Amino acid sequence: MNEFQLYMKEMSQPMRDELTNAGFKELTTPEDVEAFMTNIEGTSLVVVNSVCGCAAGLARPAVLTALKEGIKPDHLVTVFAGQDREATDKMREYFVDIEPSSPSIAILSGNQVAHFIPREEIEGNELEAIKENVIKGFQTI
């Protein structure tokens, strides 16, 4: 790893920890993603994490609040856009016909996207509205 990569890893660690401390499993390699997506059953909440302000102030808090308020996915996983690029690219292969977006939130039934919340529905929105969008996504599957 070069100095820039080490710096970015250090700077992004609290952003990673915010999700992993809440029970999310980090998928950091394409192999991690493939193993997860190949054997997945039930429902999953996938957060495409990011260092941007809308991830810090909106996406992560909205997801964590939705979890506290009662959504119960079978699996919680995250990939980190811009940091674990290959893993993120691999996860996005499963988001069929969905443009890459970070941060973003995907709700899966099996390995199929049942509900997707792109950056455009996160940035500039209220935390409450994003949380409700996450909850609504689980109510549709």
Side-chain angles (χ1 to χ4, degrees):
M1 246 187 227
N2 65 36
E3 283 186 47
F4 175 74
Q5 291 169 320
L6 287 171
Y7 172 78
M8 289 305 296
K9 183 164 178 60
E10 181 180 322
M11 293 303 296
S12 66
Q13 193 59 52
M15 300 166 206
R16 294 171 181 271
D17 293 346
E18 189 172 3
L19 293 176
T20 58
N21 289 342
F24 281 78
K25 179 181 179 178
E26 254 190 322
L27 305 177
T28 60
T29 68
E31 294 79 15
D32 290 345
V33 173
E34 188 67 30
F36 176 76
M37 294 299 284
T38 299
N39 299 308
I40 190 171
E41 292 183 8
T43 59
S44 300
L45 178 58
V46 180
V47 176
V48 179
N49 204 352
S50 170
V51 297
C52 74
C54 61
L58 295 170
R60 291 190 302 268
V63 164
L64 297 177
T65 302
L67 289 168
K68 287 178 187 168
E69 291 189 13
I71 64 165
K72 301 284 186 226
D74 298 311
H75 309 280
L76 301 170
V77 296
T78 181
V79 293
F80 206 112
Q83 301 295 305
D84 302 319
R85 292 179 184 184
E86 295 84 7
T88 303
D89 289 345
K90 188 65 175 176
M91 182 60 78
R92 286 175 171 156
E93 288 178 16
Y94 289 93
F95 300 168
V96 178
D97 297 326
I98 298 173
E99 289 294 316
S101 180
S102 59
S104 60
I105 302 161
I107 297 167
L108 308 180
S109 178
N111 66 2
Q112 304 295 309
V113 176
H115 187 72
F116 189 79
I117 305 169
R119 178 186 183 108
E120 294 77 30
E121 293 179 25
I122 297 169
E123 188 175 34
N125 284 293
E126 297 294 323
L127 184 126
E128 182 72 18
I130 301 161
K131 176 199 76 170
E132 290 301 322
N133 196 353
V134 173
I135 292 169
K136 178 184 84 174
F138 275 96
Q139 292 170 343
T140 62
I141 50 176

